[in-house]
Amino acid sequence: MTMTDNDLRDLLARDASEVRGAGVTLADVDRRVRRIRRRRGAAGAVLAAGVAAAVLVATAPRTVTIAPDDGADAAAMAGPSLTPGVSYLAGQRVFLEKEIETGGRVLRFPYTGISASVNVQVDCREPSYAFVWLNGRLETQGVCGVQSEPVDHLISWIDESGRDLTGPNEVDVALVPVQRVAADRDPGAPIPALGEQEAERVVGETGEYRTSAKVTIREAWLLAVAPTPVNCDRDIVIRKPNGQKILSSACDRPTGFPLPVD
């Protein structure tokens, strides 16, 4: 039975009205008063917890998970996260600049770098296909110079491996006629990249010939290596593949991860 203030008052009044009394002692009153106070404290704690939970629900950002529709990937909007952003920039300092007058052979260009990365450029004045090695490893290749279309193809490669290239290094360059690489292919068809051994075979079978080009080796620096915080300063609208739109206070996606569109 639940005892309240009014119940206690009624009990005392009834005891006083009876001739012989109901036997209510001071200990009974004290015990019942303590019970009332304990119930009040518990009720207050429950009320405070309820208010705190309501505030938390009202202020916490919502996380919305989109179920896949028609085979689309599920998209989950989570809290703040970090995405790495790394890029390299070619500088102005030139380590080496040499003319190339011979094709059909691998030409070696030693240089001493002062930057962690390096930028290698090959400018062909005649239609060519260029191979570029760095410290014995084939790094890049492609058409070079003006081909059938009036576009000057410049080979420009920056090492983004993260290795430290300060100190002595070696760049090897080889030029061959495009026909040597694109043999048995339809004119204008893309040329797949050759592997190490195949590139060396093509260069060896071509043999030396006269050509004109220039190789430039310059510094390159790590421009930025810092985590990019996800945008969390505004509500976002999530579009499901089925056209449904959902307003969410969750964080936006990192750059490069667009939301699904209708």
Short mmCIF file of all heavy atoms in Angstrom, two decimals, residues 189-225:
data_model
loop_
_atom_site.label_atom_id
_atom_site.label_comp_id
_atom_site.label_asym_id
_atom_site.label_seq_id
_atom_site.Cartn_x
_atom_site.Cartn_y
_atom_site.Cartn_z
N ALA A 189 43.94 3.23 -82.15
CA ALA A 189 43.58 2.40 -80.99
C ALA A 189 44.52 2.70 -79.83
O ALA A 189 45.70 2.98 -80.04
CB ALA A 189 43.65 0.92 -81.37
N PRO A 190 44.02 2.66 -78.60
CA PRO A 190 44.89 2.92 -77.45
C PRO A 190 45.99 1.88 -77.35
O PRO A 190 45.80 0.71 -77.68
CB PRO A 190 43.93 2.85 -76.25
CG PRO A 190 42.75 2.07 -76.73
CD PRO A 190 42.63 2.37 -78.19
N ILE A 191 47.16 2.32 -76.87
CA ILE A 191 48.32 1.45 -76.74
C ILE A 191 48.42 1.01 -75.28
O ILE A 191 48.59 1.85 -74.40
CB ILE A 191 49.60 2.16 -77.17
CG1 ILE A 191 49.47 2.66 -78.61
CG2 ILE A 191 50.81 1.25 -77.03
CD1 ILE A 191 50.65 3.50 -79.08
N PRO A 192 48.33 -0.27 -75.00
CA PRO A 192 48.45 -0.72 -73.62
C PRO A 192 49.89 -0.57 -73.13
O PRO A 192 50.84 -0.66 -73.91
CB PRO A 192 48.03 -2.19 -73.68
CG PRO A 192 48.31 -2.61 -75.08
CD PRO A 192 48.07 -1.39 -75.93
N ALA A 193 50.04 -0.34 -71.84
CA ALA A 193 51.38 -0.18 -71.27
C ALA A 193 52.15 -1.49 -71.36
O ALA A 193 51.60 -2.58 -71.20
CB ALA A 193 51.28 0.27 -69.81
N LEU A 194 53.43 -1.37 -71.65
CA LEU A 194 54.30 -2.53 -71.75
C LEU A 194 54.95 -2.82 -70.40
O LEU A 194 55.21 -1.91 -69.62
CB LEU A 194 55.38 -2.30 -72.81
CG LEU A 194 54.92 -1.93 -74.22
CD1 LEU A 194 56.11 -1.85 -75.16
CD2 LEU A 194 53.91 -2.94 -74.75
N GLY A 195 55.26 -4.08 -70.18
CA GLY A 195 55.98 -4.46 -68.98
C GLY A 195 57.47 -4.19 -69.12
O GLY A 195 57.96 -3.79 -70.18
N GLU A 196 58.21 -4.42 -68.06
CA GLU A 196 59.65 -4.15 -68.03
C GLU A 196 60.39 -4.88 -69.16
O GLU A 196 61.10 -4.27 -69.96
CB GLU A 196 60.23 -4.58 -66.68
CG GLU A 196 59.71 -3.79 -65.48
CD GLU A 196 60.63 -2.64 -65.11
OE1 GLU A 196 61.63 -2.44 -65.83
OE2 GLU A 196 60.34 -1.97 -64.11
N GLN A 197 60.21 -6.17 -69.23
CA GLN A 197 60.95 -6.96 -70.22
C GLN A 197 60.52 -6.63 -71.64
O GLN A 197 61.35 -6.55 -72.55
CB GLN A 197 60.77 -8.46 -69.93
CG GLN A 197 61.36 -8.91 -68.61
CD GLN A 197 61.20 -10.40 -68.38
OE1 GLN A 197 60.55 -11.10 -69.17
NE2 GLN A 197 61.81 -10.90 -67.31
N GLU A 198 59.22 -6.43 -71.83
CA GLU A 198 58.74 -6.10 -73.18
C GLU A 198 59.26 -4.75 -73.63
O GLU A 198 59.63 -4.56 -74.80
CB GLU A 198 57.22 -6.13 -73.21
CG GLU A 198 56.64 -6.09 -74.62
CD GLU A 198 55.13 -6.25 -74.63
OE1 GLU A 198 54.54 -6.30 -73.54
OE2 GLU A 198 54.58 -6.33 -75.73
N ALA A 199 59.31 -3.78 -72.71
CA ALA A 199 59.85 -2.46 -73.06
C ALA A 199 61.32 -2.56 -73.46
O ALA A 199 61.74 -1.97 -74.47
CB ALA A 199 59.68 -1.50 -71.88
N GLU A 200 62.10 -3.30 -72.69
CA GLU A 200 63.52 -3.47 -73.03
C GLU A 200 63.69 -4.19 -74.37
O GLU A 200 64.59 -3.86 -75.16
CB GLU A 200 64.22 -4.25 -71.92
CG GLU A 200 64.28 -3.48 -70.59
CD GLU A 200 64.88 -4.31 -69.48
OE1 GLU A 200 65.24 -5.49 -69.74
OE2 GLU A 200 65.00 -3.79 -68.34
N ARG A 201 62.80 -5.15 -74.66
CA ARG A 201 62.89 -5.86 -75.93
C ARG A 201 62.60 -4.93 -77.10
O ARG A 201 63.33 -4.93 -78.11
CB ARG A 201 61.90 -7.02 -75.94
CG ARG A 201 61.89 -7.81 -77.26
CD ARG A 201 60.79 -8.85 -77.26
NE ARG A 201 59.47 -8.25 -77.09
CZ ARG A 201 58.80 -7.67 -78.09
NH1 ARG A 201 59.33 -7.59 -79.31
NH2 ARG A 201 57.60 -7.17 -77.87
N VAL A 202 61.56 -4.09 -76.97
CA VAL A 202 61.20 -3.17 -78.05
C VAL A 202 62.34 -2.18 -78.31
O VAL A 202 62.70 -1.91 -79.46
CB VAL A 202 59.89 -2.43 -77.71
CG1 VAL A 202 59.66 -1.27 -78.69
CG2 VAL A 202 58.73 -3.39 -77.72
N VAL A 203 62.92 -1.66 -77.23
CA VAL A 203 64.03 -0.71 -77.40
C VAL A 203 65.22 -1.40 -78.06
O VAL A 203 65.84 -0.86 -79.00
CB VAL A 203 64.44 -0.11 -76.03
CG1 VAL A 203 65.68 0.76 -76.19
CG2 VAL A 203 63.30 0.70 -75.44
N GLY A 204 65.55 -2.61 -77.62
CA GLY A 204 66.70 -3.31 -78.19
C GLY A 204 66.50 -3.65 -79.64
O GLY A 204 67.46 -3.57 -80.45
N GLU A 205 65.29 -4.06 -80.02
CA GLU A 205 65.02 -4.43 -81.41
C GLU A 205 64.92 -3.21 -82.33
O GLU A 205 65.08 -3.34 -83.55
CB GLU A 205 63.73 -5.25 -81.49
CG GLU A 205 63.82 -6.62 -80.83
CD GLU A 205 62.52 -7.39 -80.90
OE1 GLU A 205 61.52 -6.78 -81.36
OE2 GLU A 205 62.48 -8.56 -80.49
N THR A 206 64.66 -2.05 -81.77
CA THR A 206 64.54 -0.84 -82.60
C THR A 206 65.90 -0.43 -83.16
O THR A 206 66.05 -0.10 -84.34
CB THR A 206 63.93 0.31 -81.79
OG1 THR A 206 62.61 -0.06 -81.37
CG2 THR A 206 63.86 1.59 -82.62
N GLY A 207 66.92 -0.44 -82.34
CA GLY A 207 68.24 0.01 -82.78
C GLY A 207 68.33 1.53 -82.77
O GLY A 207 67.32 2.25 -82.79
N GLU A 208 69.54 2.04 -82.75
CA GLU A 208 69.75 3.48 -82.65
C GLU A 208 69.31 4.21 -83.91
O GLU A 208 69.46 3.71 -85.03
CB GLU A 208 71.23 3.77 -82.37
CG GLU A 208 71.70 3.29 -81.01
CD GLU A 208 73.11 3.75 -80.71
OE1 GLU A 208 73.63 4.63 -81.47
OE2 GLU A 208 73.71 3.27 -79.73
N TYR A 209 68.78 5.42 -83.71
CA TYR A 209 68.40 6.29 -84.82
C TYR A 209 68.41 7.72 -84.30
O TYR A 209 68.39 7.98 -83.10
CB TYR A 209 67.02 5.92 -85.38
CG TYR A 209 65.86 6.17 -84.44
CD1 TYR A 209 65.11 7.35 -84.53
CD2 TYR A 209 65.51 5.26 -83.44
CE1 TYR A 209 64.06 7.60 -83.67
CE2 TYR A 209 64.47 5.50 -82.58
CZ TYR A 209 63.74 6.66 -82.69
OH TYR A 209 62.69 6.92 -81.85
N ARG A 210 68.42 8.67 -85.21
CA ARG A 210 68.48 10.08 -84.84
C ARG A 210 67.07 10.60 -84.53
O ARG A 210 66.10 10.29 -85.22
CB ARG A 210 69.07 10.91 -85.98
CG ARG A 210 70.49 10.51 -86.38
CD ARG A 210 71.51 10.93 -85.34
NE ARG A 210 71.62 12.38 -85.23
CZ ARG A 210 72.42 13.00 -84.37
NH1 ARG A 210 73.16 12.28 -83.51
NH2 ARG A 210 72.49 14.31 -84.34
N THR A 211 66.96 11.37 -83.47
CA THR A 211 65.70 12.00 -83.09
C THR A 211 66.02 13.27 -82.33
O THR A 211 67.20 13.66 -82.20
CB THR A 211 64.84 11.04 -82.24
OG1 THR A 211 63.55 11.61 -82.04
CG2 THR A 211 65.49 10.78 -80.88
N SER A 212 65.02 13.93 -81.82
CA SER A 212 65.23 15.18 -81.08
C SER A 212 64.21 15.28 -79.95
O SER A 212 63.00 15.19 -80.18
CB SER A 212 65.08 16.39 -82.01
OG SER A 212 65.28 17.59 -81.30
N ALA A 213 64.72 15.44 -78.75
CA ALA A 213 63.87 15.58 -77.56
C ALA A 213 64.68 16.22 -76.44
O ALA A 213 65.88 16.48 -76.60
CB ALA A 213 63.32 14.22 -77.13
N LYS A 214 64.03 16.47 -75.33
CA LYS A 214 64.71 17.06 -74.16
C LYS A 214 64.14 16.43 -72.90
O LYS A 214 62.94 16.24 -72.77
CB LYS A 214 64.52 18.57 -74.13
CG LYS A 214 65.23 19.26 -72.95
CD LYS A 214 65.09 20.77 -73.01
CE LYS A 214 63.67 21.21 -72.75
NZ LYS A 214 63.56 22.70 -72.66
N VAL A 215 65.04 16.11 -71.96
CA VAL A 215 64.61 15.59 -70.66
C VAL A 215 64.96 16.63 -69.60
O VAL A 215 66.04 17.20 -69.61
CB VAL A 215 65.29 14.23 -70.35
CG1 VAL A 215 66.81 14.34 -70.38
CG2 VAL A 215 64.82 13.72 -68.98
N THR A 216 64.00 16.87 -68.72
CA THR A 216 64.18 17.83 -67.62
C THR A 216 63.82 17.14 -66.31
O THR A 216 62.74 16.55 -66.18
CB THR A 216 63.28 19.06 -67.80
OG1 THR A 216 63.55 19.66 -69.08
CG2 THR A 216 63.55 20.08 -66.70
N ILE A 217 64.73 17.21 -65.36
CA ILE A 217 64.52 16.63 -64.04
C ILE A 217 64.51 17.76 -63.03
O ILE A 217 65.49 18.51 -62.92
CB ILE A 217 65.61 15.59 -63.68
CG1 ILE A 217 65.67 14.51 -64.77
CG2 ILE A 217 65.35 14.99 -62.32
CD1 ILE A 217 66.82 13.54 -64.57
N ARG A 218 63.42 17.91 -62.30
CA ARG A 218 63.30 19.02 -61.35
C ARG A 218 62.78 18.53 -60.02
O ARG A 218 62.31 17.39 -59.89
CB ARG A 218 62.41 20.13 -61.93
CG ARG A 218 60.96 19.74 -62.08
CD ARG A 218 60.11 20.88 -62.63
NE ARG A 218 60.37 21.12 -64.03
CZ ARG A 218 60.82 22.28 -64.51
NH1 ARG A 218 61.08 23.29 -63.70
NH2 ARG A 218 61.00 22.43 -65.81
N GLU A 219 62.83 19.40 -59.03
CA GLU A 219 62.39 19.06 -57.69
C GLU A 219 60.87 18.88 -57.64
O GLU A 219 60.14 19.41 -58.48
CB GLU A 219 62.79 20.17 -56.71
CG GLU A 219 62.09 21.50 -57.03
CD GLU A 219 62.53 22.64 -56.12
OE1 GLU A 219 63.36 22.39 -55.24
OE2 GLU A 219 62.04 23.76 -56.31
N ALA A 220 60.43 18.12 -56.69
CA ALA A 220 58.99 17.96 -56.41
C ALA A 220 58.83 17.77 -54.91
O ALA A 220 59.63 17.08 -54.27
CB ALA A 220 58.41 16.78 -57.17
N TRP A 221 57.81 18.41 -54.36
CA TRP A 221 57.63 18.42 -52.91
C TRP A 221 56.26 17.89 -52.54
O TRP A 221 55.29 18.01 -53.29
CB TRP A 221 57.79 19.84 -52.36
CG TRP A 221 59.13 20.43 -52.64
CD1 TRP A 221 59.47 21.28 -53.65
CD2 TRP A 221 60.33 20.20 -51.89
NE1 TRP A 221 60.80 21.59 -53.58
CE2 TRP A 221 61.36 20.95 -52.51
CE3 TRP A 221 60.63 19.44 -50.76
CZ2 TRP A 221 62.67 20.95 -52.05
CZ3 TRP A 221 61.94 19.44 -50.29
CH2 TRP A 221 62.94 20.19 -50.92
N LEU A 222 56.19 17.33 -51.34
CA LEU A 222 54.91 16.92 -50.77
C LEU A 222 54.15 18.19 -50.42
O LEU A 222 54.58 18.97 -49.57
CB LEU A 222 55.15 16.06 -49.53
CG LEU A 222 53.91 15.47 -48.87
CD1 LEU A 222 53.22 14.50 -49.81
CD2 LEU A 222 54.31 14.75 -47.58
N LEU A 223 53.02 18.39 -51.09
CA LEU A 223 52.26 19.62 -50.89
C LEU A 223 51.44 19.58 -49.62
O LEU A 223 51.37 20.54 -48.87
CB LEU A 223 51.35 19.87 -52.09
CG LEU A 223 50.51 21.15 -52.07
CD1 LEU A 223 51.43 22.37 -52.05
CD2 LEU A 223 49.58 21.22 -53.26
N ALA A 224 50.80 18.45 -49.33
CA ALA A 224 49.94 18.35 -48.14
C ALA A 224 49.80 16.91 -47.75
O ALA A 224 49.60 16.05 -48.60
CB ALA A 224 48.58 18.96 -48.42
N VAL A 225 49.92 16.66 -46.46
CA VAL A 225 49.59 15.33 -45.93
C VAL A 225 48.88 15.55 -44.60
O VAL A 225 49.48 15.49 -43.54
CB VAL A 225 50.85 14.44 -45.79
CG1 VAL A 225 51.90 15.11 -44.93
CG2 VAL A 225 50.48 13.07 -45.23
#
